[in-house]
Amino acid sequence: MSDVQGDNWWYCLKHDRVEHGAGCPNSQRMGPYPDEATAANALDLAARRNEEWDEDEERNT
């Protein structure tokens, strides 16, 4: 079995930076992501998904 943390990218919320592999505890970071660019856009990606979720809830109420 591969090391999940070693093969992926993460966005650390505590340090506001991208991490590769082992780093801060998972409770302090977002991910895993398949590459550095995706991890670097983690906050924008989450915001966009939240907006889409909110819009979907409004349509379904």
Side-chain angles (χ1 to χ4, degrees), residues 2-49:
S2 67
D3 177 13
V4 172
Q5 292 187 9
D7 295 337
N8 293 296
W9 293 87
W10 306 77
Y11 184 81
C12 178
L13 298 167
K14 181 178 179 180
H15 298 108
D16 294 320
R17 68 176 181 220
V18 172
E19 296 180 341
H20 186 239
C24 290
N26 289 350
S27 63
Q28 297 176 351
R29 57 190 193 166
M30 298 170 68
Y33 297 99
D35 54 55
E36 184 177 9
T38 306
N41 290 313
L43 296 178
D44 290 334
L45 180 59
R48 192 168 49 244
R49 288 178 177 167

